[in-house]
Each structure stands twice: as structure tokens, then as C-alpha cells.
Amino acid sequence: MKLDAKIPEGDLSEKWSKHKFNVKLVNPANKRKYEVIVVGTGLAGASAAASLAELGYNVKAFCFQDSPRRAHSIAAQGGINASKNYQNDGDSVYRLFYDTIKGGDYRSREANVHRLAEVSGNIIDQCVAQGVPFARDYGGLLDNRSFGGAQVSRTFYARGQTGQQLLLGAYSALSRQVAAGKVKLYTRTEMMDVVIIDGKAQGIITRDLVTGKIESHSAHAVILASGGYGNVFFLSTNAMGSNASAAWRAHKKGALFANPCFTQIHPTCIPVHGTYQSKLTLMSESLRNDGRVWVPKKAGDKRKPNDIPENERDYYLERKYPSFGNLVPRDVASRNAKYVCDEGRGVGETGLAVYLDFSDAIKRDGEDTISAKYGNLFEMYEKITGENPYKVPMKIYPAVHYTMGGLWVDYNLMTSVPGLYALGEANFSDHGANRLGASALMQGLADGYFVVPYTIGDYLSQMPYEKVSNDHAEFQKAETEVRERLNKLLSVNGKKTVDQFHKELGLIIWDYCGMSRTAEGLKEAKEKVQKLREEYWTNLKTIGTQDELNITLEKAYRVADFMELGELMIDDALNRNESCGGHFREEYQTEEGEAKRDDENYSYVAAWEYKGENMQEELHKEELNFENVQLTQRSYK
């Protein structure tokens, strides 16, 4: 299989504008003759469904929540990047492009990233027009703050609830199209499989999560905007319902899965409190604007933070990275938090935490100013921990947050299966080996509002107006396979719950394929996951039937996919004999403990093709060509 990314010819700054002119169009009258399925109604899905419907296409939108407003995009806190240079501090489209390429440790496509930087400003204009209440400065203009991996202020924000406000904007646009009859919205409905006919994606199989009814839906094209796979770790900042099944079903039907080992550990999360926890809570990266990260200089220092004098504190990020300080990228901040805790200088009961201290900022700017910026985050922290961060430093520790890997897509955001698109965190395209903070919302909305509405027309213009009937044999076959898989899960009748298996899987992946990896550890992890998956199909305990509301069955279906995906993550990490971004192989590091890339041998996208039931995967490589940036060792000093 030869991977064709369909990157346009020409100068980097002109590729997107020329491509928009060169793609085939569907005239307004003919758009009404096409139907598009959108799976997922977070920022990427809701914006895509609303935009396509606004253009005239007929859209079916599916979400497993009771409302699109409950999509996990709502949990994003800190902000959204855009290169408007409102601060007049030297920002530009090219600087945003360069920071993103560098932040991803030179493992993403130049063309995709530059397009993202180009359309970023349009996103802000769109959202302001929708009424998104971005923060404003004293003069009434939109305010910006800094985020990791950048030396300019380009992050637009709405206090600590930016994702929620942006999602409400996209939801309002979606609701308008639902009311107009251009979008048919299916809630509490989960995609169970993709249907491929004549080599093209032409529909999906769904299950009504309340009644259990299995249904077929045909369309001219299918868009997956179903989020990432961070919950393979069990403990993560993701909502408990977030899962990888839509993308994994597509993978098993022929869509390549790219860079699965590229997962992001966020440095600013509330530490684990006990084995009873089912998820972790994020404290926004924006807090590192005003909060200073530190630990005691001496190992084993158990004094209360306010009792430790200034000269006995190690502000280790400021010490090691004077240029960026506390605003180094997430992978760098996370690894350094692990290092100081490994040295015995971690704080709290477990020793797996560091301090995030706002005392200097409060003295400088006043408590009211800090509250205006971060008040809801401080309230959330106090409710969870019982400590007042205005009075004592927050305790934070890294946790799984985002996945840079995902379905392989070309420049048009189409997967290797014609007619099947992937947007937002479901694809791999824009972040390389590490995502910069505030870039997830940027990518999701760029894909949905400004990329796929152009590129999907190029495909649909070549499709017949008549769509495949739901009665086609391939739909019937896929429905039968879904029912058989559900029955198989219910028939095991073992002794261990889904959550028990999920926790075991997550701990294996975290211990061996988390913040750091080794070849020896990865090989051991692969054996452990294989044994766990064998046990899953012989000792799983589920209850109820498939013809009713059955949350246990939902989990069982998703965890079965996590078992397979977890093994592919390990294989990908074992194959990539280098360190880059969030993929840190201990064998490959500089003398200073930083990630050491191997550009000669690993400057490619690893795209895996599913080849059979025994987790046989074939590796395909998309070579990354850098014509506009020079590959250098990342430095934030």
C-alpha cells in the first residue's frame, strides 16, 4: 500500500488557498441530494455537522450522550490558540506553524500544520459571531494569555471553561440546522461498525443505548469525530464514556491507524488519591501562567509548603529552562515532575505530586485578579481536595490527557478508506509527537468549520446521487456480526467485571507505555496484554441482555477494543527506536535527559494496517518531508 497524503504542490503559504480552488465542487442544488453521517457531536463533529448542513447537505449526527452539550469537548479549560497577534508581541501565522511543528518534535506534516495556523484566526471570528464570551481586556478587546511551548500570548479563553463555551457555540449552530430539518440528530446512539461497499464507506451500524435496537444507516460519506483513546489507560482526564470503538471499528474495516504510541501526559492534574478512583481531574495548563512549579530541595522533606522557606525550594522548571520556565511543553513538564518525584522530592501523602504555587501572583496582582482568571478552577480544586489554593499551593501530578495518534488521514482528512473521514482527536494529523496546550480546540474547530466542508465536496462530486439501500447485503451482514459480538460478550459468564479488566489493562499500559518506555518493558507489557485479552474472553462477567439499557455491555464492547488497541500502542512504541515528544524511550535520551530523536530512520508517520483476528498488523510509512523548518534538537532553554 502506497500512502498518498495528497499534499498540494507549491509554496507552503499558498497550498491551502490553491487547493480550495482546485478541488471539485458540488453546486448548491445538488448538495441537497447528498447525505453525510457524522459520528460524534463534540467540537469537531458539531461544527462539521452544522457547517455541512448550512451548505445544503443532509446530515445525520450521532452521539452516545443524551445531548451534544455533554461531549467531552466541554471539559477543555484553558483556551484556544490563534495567531491574531492582538498583543503585538511578534506572533504570526508562521510563528504558530513553527511552534506547533517544534512542539510536536518534528513528527507532523508541514502542510497540515500550516493550514491549521492559517485558519486559526477565522475560528475566533466565527465563535465571537456565535456569542462565545471570550475574556476581554480593560479596553474591551479580546484578551490573550500564554500557554506552553510559545513565547507569545495567543491563547483566547473564557475563564477556565473555554471548551464549554465553544461547544455551546457549535451546539447552537447545530441546533439551528436540526430545527431547519437539515440535521437529523440521534442521541443515546452508539456507532457499532462502519459498512464498506465497493471499497467505499457507505454507512454505519448503530445501537440504541436505551432499547438496544440495532439499526443500519446509509449515506454517501461518513465522518468520524469520536475523540481519542486516552481511556485505554483507565485513569485519565477523559470522561468515563470516552472510548476508541468508532475509530477501532473503522481500523478493522481497513482504515490505517497512525502513531498509536503518541499519547500525551498532562503535567497539571490533581494527583491520584486512591485505588477507588475511576478518573482524574485536569487543572488547566493556563494555571502555569501565574503558578510557579516547585518541590523541596531535600528529599523526604515533609513540612507543609508554607513552612518551607524560599531558599529551600527548587523551582526546577525555571532553573532548567530559563527561556520558557513554567511554560515548557507538556511532555517536558511531565517528565521533569516524574524525575523530581523519582528523586524522593515529591510532595503529599504518596510523594507523587509537586506544588503549583500562586502566592507570588496573588501578592503581585491581587486575589481578585487571579479569581477573575481562574476562579472556577480554584473552586473545583477546593471541592475535590478540601484545600484552598489561594492560601496553600495546589498539588499536581501528570496524568493521561490526550492522544496524538489516531486514524491516518490525508490532506483532505480522508482515511485510507474512500468516503470515510476523521476529524479532531480521532485523526493523527496536526500535533506530531506532542500537542501544545490550547491546540486541541483549534484543530477540532478548524477541521469541522473550515476544512472538511471544502474537501468533502471533492469526493461527493464523484458519487452518484442515489445512495445505497439499508437493505444491501453488506448492511445485513454487518448487523449480524454486531449482534454476534454482543452475544459473545454476554455468553462468557465469567467471574471478573469489565472494570476489573479495564483497570488491569490501564495499569499495564501506564507502567510500561506511559511517561517512559523501554524495549524490555514493552515486550513484557505485550505478553501481559495478550494474556489479559485471552482471559477477557473466558472470564468476563456481564449481566442483562443486549435488548435493553445495559451499561455493563456498553463497557464490555469498548474495553474489548481497548485490549486490541493497547497491544498496537505497545507494538508501535517498540518499533520506534527513538524518543520524541510524548514517546520517551529511556534508551534514547540526551545527556541532559531530554528526548533524543533519530531523524534519519524515524522521520515518518507510522500507519498500521489491520491484517487479521490475531492482531496481525502491517506497518506502512509516510515519510515526512521538511522544506520550511530545520530539524533541530528541541530546546526550551
Side-chain angles (χ1 to χ4, degrees):
M1 180 185 294
K2 180 173 173 56
L3 293 179
D4 181 6
K6 296 184 172 61
I7 298 172
E9 297 292 330
D11 186 79
L12 182 68
S13 62
E14 298 177 353
K15 286 182 187 293
W16 178 231
S17 57
K18 287 184 176 179
H19 187 66
K20 285 190 291 184
F21 178 77
N22 290 328
V23 294
K24 294 181 176 65
L25 300 177
V26 180
N27 80 48
N30 287 340
K31 286 188 175 81
R32 306 186 194 104
K33 301 174 183 178
Y34 291 110
E35 186 164 275
V36 179
I37 284 173
V38 179
V39 179
T41 53
L43 285 180
S47 60
S51 299
L52 292 169
E54 186 77 40
L55 287 170
Y57 295 108
N58 300 303
V59 178
K60 285 184 176 180
F62 296 84
C63 69
F64 64 71
Q65 298 95 346
D66 54 359
S67 166
R69 290 174 297 174
R70 291 175 64 82
H72 186 59
S73 300
I74 203 171
Q77 298 169 344
I80 175 171
N81 288 330
S83 57
K84 282 186 168 291
N85 195 32
Y86 281 177
Q87 306 293 319
N88 197 29
D89 56 0
D91 202 8
S92 65
V93 167
Y94 189 85
R95 188 177 292 277
L96 174 53
F97 154 75
Y98 180 79
D99 286 347
T100 305
I101 286 279
K102 177 185 175 184
D105 220 352
Y106 306 96
R107 290 294 176 261
S108 51
R109 284 191 205 126
E110 283 190 340
N112 284 66
V113 176
H114 196 276
R115 175 177 64 188
L116 177 64
E118 284 181 67
V119 305
S120 64
N122 296 340
I123 299 170
I124 304 305
D125 296 340
Q126 170 97 352
C127 295
V128 169
Q130 290 172 338
V132 173
F134 286 120
R136 294 178 181 269
D137 64 19
Y138 68 95
L141 301 177
L142 296 184
D143 201 6
N144 292 120
R145 58 189 177 199
S146 300
F147 255 64
Q151 290 181 303
V152 296
S153 295
R154 63 163 68 101
T155 303
F156 294 77
Y157 65 98
R159 214 176 182 194
Q161 50 185 247
T162 314
Q164 178 180 359
Q165 299 304 328
L166 290 172
L167 186 62
L168 289 174
Y171 175 68
S172 66
L174 177 63
S175 297
R176 178 174 179 270
Q177 297 304 322
V178 171
K182 294 301 293 181
V183 174
K184 188 169 183 181
L185 180 63
Y186 294 81
T187 59
R188 299 307 307 272
T189 305
E190 184 155 28
M191 189 198 99
M192 307 299 285
D193 211 347
V194 180
V195 178
I196 312 294
I197 301 172
D198 297 329
K200 300 181 179 69
Q202 304 210 35
I204 63 173
I205 307 299
T206 63
R207 179 174 181 268
D208 186 309
L209 295 180
V210 178
T211 67
K213 184 178 181 181
I214 306 294
E215 288 187 310
S216 294
H217 298 270
S218 68
H220 295 91
V222 177
I223 294 173
L224 299 184
S226 51
Y229 50 91
N231 272 353
V232 70
F233 291 87
F234 186 74
L235 280 179
S236 81
T237 65
N238 289 199
M240 285 299 292
S242 298
N243 65 89
S245 287
W248 194 248
R249 295 292 101 204
H251 175 56
K252 297 186 79 169
K253 283 295 182 73
L256 302 184
F257 208 101
N259 299 336
C261 78
F262 286 172
T263 56
Q264 179 166 84
I265 314 298
H266 197 295
T268 317
C269 302
I270 296 179
V272 176
H273 287 288
T275 57
Y276 56 85
Q277 278 184 265
S278 57
K279 78 175 298 294
L280 298 172
T281 303
L282 174 70
M283 289 286 101
S284 170
E285 180 177 315
S286 63
L287 294 171
R288 288 197 276 145
N289 270 283
D290 290 298
R292 300 179 69 192
V293 179
W294 66 275
V295 291
K297 287 184 177 179
K298 293 181 180 179
D301 190 338
K302 295 300 181 183
R303 287 177 292 175
K304 293 181 179 180
N306 291 342
D307 293 337
I308 300 176
E310 192 73 14
N311 63 352
E312 295 181 32
R313 301 179 179 188
D314 180 13
Y315 295 92
Y316 57 89
L317 292 178
E318 297 173 31
R319 172 174 56 81
K320 294 179 69 173
Y321 308 98
S323 292
F324 283 76
N326 296 299
L327 289 174
V328 292
R330 291 174 175 177
D331 60 314
V332 177
S334 294
R335 276 197 299 276
N336 278 277
K338 180 181 185 298
Y339 292 157
V340 295
C341 290
D342 289 347
E343 292 170 0
R345 296 194 287 144
V347 301
E349 293 180 7
T350 64
L352 294 176
V354 299
Y355 289 127
L356 183 61
D357 194 336
F358 294 87
S359 57
D360 285 354
I362 291 171
K363 289 175 186 175
R364 181 183 66 243
D365 300 327
E367 189 171 312
D368 289 345
T369 299
I370 299 303
S371 177
K373 288 181 178 180
Y374 314 113
N376 62 308
L377 297 172
F378 278 43
E379 291 166 12
M380 183 165 63
Y381 181 88
E382 185 169 7
K383 285 181 180 178
I384 293 171
T385 66
E387 295 182 343
N388 182 350
Y390 293 104
K391 304 299 181 184
V392 295
M394 287 183 179
K395 287 193 282 286
I396 58 169
Y397 194 70
V400 175
H401 178 59
Y402 189 87
T403 51
M404 286 76 67
L407 293 175
W408 181 89
V409 292
D410 62 17
Y411 190 71
N412 294 319
L413 303 186
M414 188 189 289
T415 69
S416 53
V417 175
L420 179 65
Y421 294 78
L423 313 185
E425 195 178 356
N427 74 33
F428 86 101
S429 67
D430 291 359
H431 306 298
N434 172 65
R435 176 175 68 76
L436 292 184
S439 287
L441 306 186
M442 176 175 62
Q443 186 215 344
L445 291 180
D447 288 355
Y449 281 139
F450 298 110
V451 179
V452 83
Y454 284 101
T455 61
I456 202 170
D458 190 53
Y459 173 77
L460 292 175
S461 65
Q462 303 167 62
M463 290 286 287
Y465 299 135
E466 192 70 28
K467 67 175 183 175
V468 174
S469 169
N470 290 356
D471 296 328
H472 192 283
E474 286 299 321
F475 278 99
Q476 304 308 310
K477 178 184 176 185
E479 281 194 25
T480 299
E481 290 174 351
V482 166
R483 289 192 178 92
E484 288 176 350
R485 184 172 172 84
L486 292 172
N487 280 329
K488 185 178 179 182
L489 288 164
L490 288 165
S491 66
V492 175
N493 198 29
K495 296 181 179 180
K496 286 174 65 173
T497 67
V498 178
D499 282 344
Q500 283 177 295
F501 277 108
H502 195 178
K503 285 181 181 180
E504 286 186 46
L505 173 68
L507 193 60
I508 294 169
I509 305 296
W510 174 254
D511 285 345
Y512 297 99
C513 197
M515 269 196 283
S516 62
R517 303 101 188 256
T518 65
E520 183 180 352
L522 290 165
K523 290 173 184 175
E524 185 178 346
K526 184 177 174 72
E527 292 180 5
K528 287 177 179 287
V529 171
Q530 288 176 334
K531 288 179 181 177
L532 190 65
R533 190 170 74 249
E534 288 175 12
E535 184 189 359
Y536 190 75
W537 291 102
T538 58
N539 197 28
L540 173 67
K541 179 67 176 180
T542 52
I543 57 175
T545 70
Q546 64 170 282
D547 300 317
E548 62 181 345
L549 175 65
N550 190 337
I551 295 174
T552 303
L553 181 59
E554 289 174 39
K555 286 183 181 179
Y557 195 89
R558 297 166 183 169
V559 172
D561 292 334
F562 278 142
M563 291 278 183
E564 297 177 348
L565 174 55
E567 186 172 338
L568 183 60
M569 290 169 63
I570 292 166
D571 286 341
D572 190 43
L574 192 55
N575 175 76
R576 190 171 283 276
N577 294 318
E578 65 164 353
S579 290
C580 56
H583 167 66
F584 192 77
R585 284 280 298 273
E586 292 180 14
E587 306 96 324
Y588 308 101
Q589 56 182 299
T590 67
E591 292 180 359
E592 297 174 320
E594 305 293 348
K596 187 175 183 179
R597 296 194 320 272
D598 181 352
D599 295 327
E600 184 176 345
N601 295 302
Y602 293 96
S603 187
Y604 62 74
V605 177
W608 296 88
E609 179 185 6
Y610 181 75
K611 302 294 284 188
E613 281 301 320
N614 293 321
M615 277 308 296
Q616 298 172 350
E617 298 270 353
E618 182 179 349
L619 175 62
H620 303 277
K621 299 176 182 179
E622 179 201 335
E623 298 295 334
L624 293 170
N625 298 309
F626 295 92
E627 301 172 356
N628 299 273
V629 298
Q630 182 179 355
L631 297 181
T632 59
Q633 178 65 41
R634 259 193 332 169
S635 174
Y636 292 95
K637 297 183 178 182

